[in-house]
Amino acid sequence: MDEPIVKSLNTKDRISRCIDWLKEQNNPKKLSLQNKNDIQFIIETNAHRKKFFLTAEDDATVPVGVGEVELEPRNVPVQKLRHERLCLECEWPSCREFFSNYVMFQAHVRMHISDVHITKMDGNVFYHCLWDVCGHKSSDRDQIIRHINYHAYHAKLLAIGFNARATLKLERCKKDSTKRNQLPPLLGDHCCMWYRCTQYFDSIQDFLDHVQTHIASCSRGQVVCSWAGCGAVFVEKSQLSRHMRAHTLERLIACYHCGTHFALNRKLSDHLLRQNVDPSAGHKCSICGEFFASDYLLREHVRRHVSCYACSLCDMSQPTPADLAHHVRYRHMASEDVRRHACPDCDYKAVTKYDLRAHIKIHNRKRKKSSDSDSDCEVKKQKNTRKYICHICPDNKPTIFARGTYLTTHLVKVHGAQWPCGHSRFRYQKSEDGMFRLTTTRFEVLEVSKKIVNGCRGPNATLSNKYEFNIRKVADCTATAPTRYEISIRNGLRPTDSQENTIKKIYKEEQNTKSDTGRKEIKKKKSLKRKLSLGKDRRRKNSQ
């Protein structure tokens, strides 16, 4: 088993290094700068010391405590980044062991399942995870087992991301590290939904290894995804294995600092590049003026400015289907059908949990004392520096406001402006002179613009989700198609036999076209291989 890279420092050197660091931090010149890294906050716990080391923007460094292991990222080839020279750290309290063998590390983490903290509250038993910076608790014992097994998998992703710092030459993450070990909710067992497979797993790694056996058992040639509801066709098994990550939610790497895990190395690189943008060397968006670290991130951002989906109930258009569903939920659905998240302090009900958390902050502000910290004052000053200017008023007598709501009131009452049907407010963007002006243009796909101009007649009636439906099974599932159901409105018109026959014909044609496209791709690849082999044979003959 490979040992982790450890810097050889004796006890005296460590103590002297700690003393030098404390002297440097207690320097009056440095303390007068109001550095955001408070020394007393840093040295309280090991987790905060790690956070300081990874987010410090000055020349200060945090020495390793006496008896602690100082790690350095290892430069591993990209092809072997996920398997070789991993330093897996168990972050359970009073453990802190290191492993290089992932199988042994999984077995070690499973031993901590019996060490969970158990409490009783109101007659219910709760299991608390003691993993560093986690804080998860659950009343379900099976869920806490899945949770601790996921920590082993997440620790592997963190180890891969740690070595990726040297291999991929990544930038430094600036996000909060106090939530690096908080995992996604695992409410149920990891269920394999492959055709005619009903196995369940409490370990995500066992689940992923099991799915790989299904991929390996696929026949050569036309590789079909038999996951429930899919039926996608591929040429090679490697394409199917990449596709299966969308079903299994498998991740390949994680940010060592904040703990966010990703399915691709490029996603981690983009995650870090977004936080380290140099305006002088960055790529600027010509629409909103925002800077980006790479041309790829700029192209992804520009797509957010172009609306490709039109609302059938008003003049609104959105860039993605998720944004369009969000618009319909807020603008066209009845409030009693949508607002399901109630506030514990008042009668307010929110549409989403995010809105509820934002609303609860209002109650928390009222409970706070009037005295704010210096950092809060700085943030308030920065927020108040925004200036909104009216684009209709003459240039010699500009009308400037400190808030966008004041400019909105001015545009409505003085100039009689109105936002289009479907929009909830005016939107402002920053100009080259630093002033915020009204956004008067909207970028749309030509088809969407024609649809809005020709088809929209103003807002329709409010939608409702109080309909009752009849569900009837039409066809059983197969290896390439899911179980199909027919859904119709109760007390409504059911499709006739001729309509059912046409629906079945259309479905069969779709399945045939899928199989035909897969066969065509296979034929193309085989013809390319033949051409390459013929070209090699000709070169050999010519060389002879």
Side-chain angles (χ1 to χ4, degrees):
M1 184 171 70
D2 296 338
E3 295 294 333
I5 299 175
V6 181
K7 287 190 174 181
S8 59
L9 291 174
N10 54 27
T11 306
K12 292 182 179 180
D13 294 336
R14 293 180 185 277
I15 294 173
S16 62
R17 191 177 174 192
C18 290
I19 293 171
D20 295 338
W21 177 73
L22 288 171
K23 288 180 180 179
E24 183 181 0
Q25 294 297 317
N26 287 317
N27 188 0
K29 294 182 179 179
K30 193 161 194 174
L31 292 175
S32 63
L33 297 175
Q34 296 293 330
N35 197 314
K36 68 177 181 180
N37 299 309
D38 185 11
I39 179 174
Q40 304 218 345
F41 174 76
I42 296 165
I43 62 177
E44 276 180 0
T45 60
N46 183 41
H48 289 126
R49 186 163 62 253
K50 285 180 181 179
K51 178 183 176 181
F52 172 81
F53 176 71
L54 295 172
T55 60
E57 296 179 357
D58 51 8
D59 297 333
T61 58
V62 179
V64 178
V66 178
E68 287 188 355
V69 178
E70 184 176 359
L71 302 175
E72 287 186 346
R74 302 168 175 180
N75 194 348
V76 184
V78 179
Q79 295 81 5
K80 303 177 181 180
L81 184 63
R82 298 183 60 224
H83 306 287
E84 294 189 2
R85 306 188 69 186
L86 296 177
C87 185
L88 306 166
E89 180 184 3
C90 177
E91 299 188 46
W92 199 268
S94 69
C95 183
R96 301 289 177 178
E97 293 189 21
F98 292 88
F99 297 83
S100 61
N101 189 334
Y102 182 50
V103 178
M104 295 177 62
F105 177 68
Q106 283 182 289
H108 171 81
V109 172
R110 287 195 188 98
M111 294 171 59
H112 289 300
I113 295 174
S114 59
D115 300 334
V116 297
H117 183 60
I118 302 175
T119 59
K120 291 184 179 181
M121 186 180 297
D122 298 333
N124 297 324
V125 178
F126 289 94
Y127 303 92
H128 298 260
C129 177
L130 302 180
W131 199 272
D132 187 25
V133 202
C134 178
H136 176 74
K137 71 174 181 178
S138 175
S139 59
D140 186 2
R141 188 175 180 276
D142 295 333
Q143 183 183 0
I144 204 70
I145 292 173
R146 290 191 298 270
H147 175 83
I148 294 175
N149 286 330
Y150 200 98
H151 271 302
Y153 174 71
H154 187 246
K156 177 187 176 183
L157 301 182
L158 291 175
I160 297 170
F162 184 68
N163 287 342
R165 287 183 172 180
T167 303
L168 305 177
K169 298 179 181 180
L170 301 175
E171 298 286 343
R172 189 69 60 132
C173 181
K174 299 178 181 178
K175 290 193 172 183
D176 185 12
S177 65
T178 58
K179 299 180 180 180
R180 67 191 295 267
N181 286 330
Q182 291 187 5
L183 305 179
L186 305 171
L187 302 178
D189 288 334
H190 304 285
C191 174
C192 179
M193 300 181 68
W194 198 268
Y195 180 61
R196 291 182 178 176
C197 182
T198 58
Q199 295 194 35
Y200 294 85
F201 302 88
D202 60 2
S203 172
I204 187 171
Q205 190 60 52
D206 296 342
F207 168 62
L208 297 175
D209 295 339
H210 169 77
V211 172
Q212 288 298 322
T213 59
H214 287 302
I215 297 173
S217 63
C218 291
S219 59
R220 292 185 178 181
Q222 187 176 354
V223 184
V224 180
C225 176
S226 298
W227 198 266
C230 187
V233 181
F234 301 94
V235 180
E236 296 181 351
K237 292 183 180 180
S238 59
Q239 296 175 345
L240 177 60
S241 62
R242 288 194 296 269
H243 164 77
M244 288 302 298
R245 294 172 195 164
H247 296 307
T248 61
L249 301 180
E250 181 186 5
R251 298 295 180 261
L252 304 183
I253 196 169
C255 178
Y256 184 75
H257 176 68
C258 68
T260 309
H261 38 327
F262 306 92
L264 296 172
N265 295 345
R266 194 197 72 233
K267 297 291 184 181
L268 174 60
S269 179
D270 295 342
H271 163 75
L272 299 173
L273 285 174
R274 288 188 180 96
Q275 305 172 45
N276 298 273
V277 181
D278 185 9
S280 60
H283 302 265
K284 184 179 179 181
C285 177
S286 59
I287 300 173
C288 63
E290 190 175 351
F291 287 92
F292 295 89
S294 65
D295 188 37
Y296 168 76
L297 294 177
L298 177 61
R299 289 198 305 270
E300 291 295 317
H301 166 78
V302 170
R303 290 179 182 175
R304 299 288 304 175
H305 289 296
V306 182
S307 299
C308 303
Y309 300 90
C311 179
S312 59
L313 302 173
C314 63
D315 292 339
M316 192 65 176
S317 59
Q318 295 289 351
T320 62
D323 293 335
L324 183 60
H326 183 270
H327 159 75
V328 172
R329 191 179 299 115
Y330 276 87
R331 301 297 298 172
H332 301 295
M333 295 290 290
S335 59
E336 61 271 11
D337 297 332
V338 177
R339 298 185 179 274
R340 304 291 178 86
H341 304 276
C343 176
D345 299 325
C346 65
D347 297 334
Y348 175 78
K349 291 185 178 181
V351 179
T352 60
K353 291 183 179 180
Y354 177 82
D355 294 342
L356 180 61
R357 287 194 295 266
H359 170 77
I360 291 175
K361 290 180 181 178
I362 299 172
H363 296 293
N364 295 335
R365 285 196 209 104
K366 293 179 181 178
R367 298 190 189 105
K368 281 184 179 179
K369 296 180 180 179
S370 58
S371 58
D372 296 330
S373 60
D374 296 336
S375 60
D376 292 337
C377 294
E378 289 178 4
V379 172
K380 287 180 181 178
K381 287 179 182 178
Q382 290 177 0
K383 286 185 177 179
N384 291 332
T385 55
R386 282 191 171 189
K387 292 183 179 180
Y388 297 82
I389 186 171
C390 178
H391 68 290
I392 302 176
C393 293
D395 296 336
N396 55 358
K397 293 181 180 180
T399 309
I400 301 174
F401 300 92
R403 292 186 178 182
T405 53
Y406 299 156
L407 179 55
T408 300
T409 305
H410 168 78
L411 291 171
V412 173
K413 291 186 176 181
V414 177
H415 301 291
Q418 293 182 356
W419 47 76
C421 173
H423 292 253
S424 59
R425 59 182 175 86
F426 287 136
R427 300 182 183 274
Y428 304 98
Q429 66 181 22
K430 193 175 183 180
S431 304
E432 295 180 356
D433 57 355
M435 296 283 190
F436 284 83
R437 290 179 172 82
L438 178 67
T439 304
T440 57
T441 57
R442 186 172 66 186
F443 296 92
E444 294 176 342
V445 179
L446 183 60
E447 296 177 357
V448 173
S449 299
K450 289 180 178 179
K451 185 177 180 181
I452 292 174
V453 172
N454 298 330
C456 183
R457 298 179 182 176
N460 290 2
T462 304
L463 297 179
S464 176
N465 62 350
K466 294 182 179 179
Y467 294 105
E468 295 182 356
F469 298 94
N470 293 321
I471 301 176
R472 186 170 64 92
K473 190 175 181 180
V474 177
D476 294 327
C477 64
T478 62
T480 58
T483 304
R484 292 195 301 116
Y485 294 90
E486 178 194 279
I487 302 174
S488 60
I489 299 175
R490 189 170 293 177
N491 299 326
L493 295 175
R494 294 187 60 183
T496 59
D497 295 336
S498 60
Q499 290 176 345
E500 287 184 356
N501 294 329
T502 53
I503 291 170
K504 290 179 180 179
K505 286 181 181 179
I506 293 169
Y507 181 76
K508 287 181 180 180
E509 289 177 359
E510 290 178 354
Q511 295 297 321
N512 293 330
T513 52
K514 284 184 180 179
S515 59
D516 291 339
T517 53
R519 289 169 186 168
K520 288 178 181 178
E521 289 180 358
I522 295 168
K523 287 180 180 179
K524 284 182 181 178
K525 189 161 187 182
K526 287 181 179 179
S527 62
L528 286 171
K529 286 182 179 179
R530 289 172 185 171
K531 289 178 181 178
L532 290 171
S533 61
L534 290 172
K536 289 180 182 179
D537 295 338
R538 289 174 183 173
R539 289 171 188 169
R540 289 174 185 172
K541 289 179 181 179
N542 293 331
S543 61
Q544 291 174 359

